Amino acid sequence: MANILIIGAGGVSQVATVKCAMNSEVFTNITLASRTKSKCDAIAKFIKERLGVEISTAKIDADDTDAVVELIKKTKADLLLNVALPYQDLTLMDACVKAGIPYIDTANYEHPDTAKFEYKLQWAKDGEFKNANTMALLGSGFDPGVTNVFCAYAQQNLFDEIHEIDILDCNAGDHGYAFATNFNPEINLREVSAKGRYWQKNDKGVGEWIETEPMQIMFKWDYPRVGVKDSYLLYHEELESLVKNIKGLKRIRFFMTFGQSYLTHMKCLENVGMLRIDEVEHNGVKIVPIQFLKTLLPDPASLGPRTKGKTNIGCVIRGLKDGLERQVYIYNVCDHEACFAETGAQAVSYTTGVPAMIGSMMVAKGIWSGKGVFNMEQFDAKPFMDELNKQGLPWEIIEMKPGQRYEV
Ligand code: NDP
């Protein structure tokens, strides 16, 4: 039915590609292309051995729009899934516009030299996608991605008005290293070392962004089936689109759990300049410290066999239904070892790669369609929620008493 071109061959790609192959009645042709072809071949071999499905592989530089257009034409792809890095979002979007096919990604564009997390440059391509008669679906991972769909589901089915959203991301996995990141170290460390930010309406009813120092706001939250974890306020990209698309919102925040070992290492690395994203000269060679650090740290794809424990990511949503206060907690719990057994990757890659496949499936089947650039919450959430249950990310809803907190 659909011929998909997947770009990037890291941990997220491993899961997304395996899951596309598990849905081969939808994805009848799969091509996996990345900078290092041997990584694509390793994923193809895993899929052939596990599922008996053949996929094609290719080498591509995703920064080269014309080369991507050529590959789209050569493979006759109907849609492109970008699971490379956020640096490649714009060139890959341009390639999809030129070829007239849908584009799907999991992370908003970042320029390598400026740690700015915003949709501005991607939203600006709305007209180009409309003119090309096709669509872009932005942020089809877990957060952003499933968290946006949880909010859309609540808006469409559970509430008349949503007033407050807290997105709560807990990874209680233990990989046994003193310090490692669960997805691309450069992208992960840029995100968590940035200033925190949340959005709320002031007394005059005007929405404003409140900035905090990194890791300034922390509270303890009792995550169902995981336990109590320190959760820190961060800025996260889905806040930007949810503020636009969830009507009546008064406050939205994002929290992520971190262990003390991670935070201590991060602080030390920051203090000695290892998280710098600008070039420095070392023995006559120009290097970017955070990129050098990435070379030293464990490859996130290698954490799979060592990681034990669970993730719990979800949204606490407060608002009104039939004139009464309502509060629900929608979340998914995922087990690192079960994810590895099924796909060869740990739960952070799994929770991103499965929704990347489902978003691609929604577009391939025409269940989510349109012309222009879209975020996840702009579509009917129900079919996506149904697929989460079928594809390995079942969700649960707890009806909380108004005012009830899991804070401890
Ligand atoms: P990895 O670093 O493991 O993989 C990235 C892949 O992209 C590598 O195979 C890399 O190639 C390839 N790549 C990088 N640059 C290029 C290029 N110019 N041309 C072609 N290929 C390129 O990252 P992850 O798998 O951990 O993450 C993938 C994406 O998922 C990231 O954008 C990340 O931000 C996003 N993400 C989203 C989440 C969500 O919930 N929404 C959560 C976690 C991640 P090479 O092998 O040669 O280095």
Side-chain angles (χ1 to χ4, degrees):
M1 195 171 126
N3 181 344
I4 189 168
L5 173 59
I6 302 173
I7 309 283
V12 174
S13 173
Q14 164 97 20
V15 176
T17 312
V18 167
K19 284 287 177 176
C20 283
M22 288 168 79
N23 288 275
S24 56
E25 72 292 349
V26 177
F27 302 103
T28 41
N29 267 293
I30 302 168
T31 304
L32 176 58
S34 191
R35 183 165 56 189
T36 312
K37 186 172 173 289
S38 57
K39 290 195 185 175
C40 304
D41 292 336
I43 295 174
K45 184 166 174 274
F46 181 94
I47 290 172
K48 175 78 182 133
E49 285 170 6
R50 282 287 179 98
L51 306 169
V53 174
E54 298 266 6
I55 69 162
S56 308
T57 60
K59 181 174 168 59
I60 191 72
D61 176 4
D63 294 324
D64 181 345
T65 297
D66 290 337
V68 178
V69 173
E70 224 166 86
L71 185 62
I72 293 171
K73 285 188 181 149
K74 191 173 153 206
T75 59
K76 298 190 173 68
D78 302 314
L79 72 166
L80 181 148
L81 171 62
N82 168 16
V83 278
L85 296 180
Y87 309 142
Q88 279 82 51
D89 287 4
L90 299 182
T91 47
L92 290 173
M93 286 178 89
D94 290 343
C96 287
V97 165
K98 281 192 179 175
I101 64 165
Y103 165 92
I104 297 113
D105 70 24
T106 66
N108 73 187
Y109 173 69
E110 279 177 52
H111 190 283
D113 299 340
T114 52
K116 269 196 169 174
F117 311 101
E118 54 184 18
Y119 282 116
K120 195 164 103 190
L121 295 173
Q122 290 185 276
W123 284 342
K125 293 189 181 293
D126 186 58
E128 289 173 50
F129 273 86
K130 282 194 169 88
N131 288 339
N133 245 336
T134 191
M135 68 180 283
L137 178 62
L138 306 184
S140 190
F142 206 106
D143 46 341
V146 176
T147 49
N148 303 56
V149 174
F150 285 168
C151 294
Y153 181 77
Q155 177 164 263
Q156 292 158 10
N157 301 282
L158 307 178
F159 287 88
D160 297 325
E161 272 178 46
I162 291 178
H163 295 161
E164 289 181 13
I165 300 172
D166 281 334
I167 300 170
L168 299 159
D169 178 333
C170 166
N171 177 10
D174 181 6
H175 42 58
Y177 288 116
F179 186 72
T181 64
N182 293 290
F183 67 97
N184 185 284
E186 190 182 335
I187 305 298
N188 179 253
L189 290 166
R190 282 161 66 111
E191 179 180 285
V192 302
S193 59
K195 291 214 177 203
R197 214 168 358 135
Y198 65 99
W199 182 95
Q200 71 179 17
K201 278 194 176 149
N202 63 21
D203 299 344
K204 298 187 183 83
V206 180
E208 52 188 21
W209 290 99
I210 319 276
E211 198 171 83
T212 66
E213 289 308 309
M215 310 290 165
Q216 186 188 331
I217 298 182
M218 186 281 273
F219 71 93
K220 291 181 186 293
W221 186 260
D222 193 357
Y223 290 89
R225 289 203 277 134
V226 170
V228 178
K229 297 281 165 198
D230 293 350
S231 308
Y232 295 83
L233 187 140
L234 294 186
Y235 176 70
H236 224 239
E237 64 205 61
E238 63 264 50
L239 303 186
E240 189 185 6
S241 69
L242 289 168
V243 159
K244 263 181 57 175
N245 294 322
I246 301 293
K247 305 294 166 220
L249 201 57
K250 293 179 182 165
R251 187 182 73 185
I252 183 163
R253 306 180 299 182
F254 180 96
F255 293 87
M256 191 179 271
T257 61
F258 295 100
Q260 275 316 311
S261 174
Y262 183 98
L263 291 179
T264 308
H265 279 79
M266 204 181 78
K267 197 76 216 151
C268 294
L269 291 166
E270 194 169 28
N271 287 345
V272 297
M274 281 302 287
L275 301 188
R276 281 174 62 170
I277 61 174
D278 55 333
E279 277 186 343
V280 297
E281 199 160 308
H282 171 72
N283 286 347
V285 181
K286 290 213 159 100
I287 59 162
V288 177
I290 199 169
Q291 289 176 359
F292 177 62
L293 177 64
K294 174 180 185 271
T295 307
L296 301 179
L297 288 174
D299 178 358
S302 72
L303 300 179
R306 319 171 41 107
T307 311
K308 296 178 171 40
K310 290 183 169 51
T311 60
N312 177 328
I313 317 174
C315 304
V316 174
I317 302 171
R318 307 177 188 112
L320 292 178
K321 179 71 182 169
D322 300 329
L324 296 174
E325 280 184 34
R326 188 175 198 188
Q327 179 171 236
V328 298
Y329 186 10
I330 315 178
Y331 59 88
N332 159 263
V333 176
C334 217
D335 182 84
H336 282 284
E337 288 171 278
C339 294
F340 183 73
E342 184 189 336
T343 61
Q346 37 83 1
V348 175
S349 302
Y350 191 92
T351 51
T352 312
V354 172
M357 180 281 290
I358 298 175
S360 305
M361 178 188 271
M362 293 294 113
V363 173
K365 285 184 163 179
I367 298 172
W368 286 4
S369 64
K371 295 181 181 79
V373 175
F374 299 91
N375 290 87
M376 305 287 285
E377 66 274 18
Q378 292 177 269
F379 294 103
D380 181 9
K382 179 82 172 49
F384 195 102
M385 297 283 278
D386 290 344
E387 283 301 325
L388 285 172
N389 283 334
K390 285 187 214 154
Q391 305 288 347
L393 292 177
W395 42 275
E396 297 163 33
I397 295 189
I398 296 179
E399 191 79 44
M400 295 167 73
K401 291 192 193 82
Q404 184 191 348
R405 295 284 191 271
Y406 275 73
E407 284 171 52
V408 280

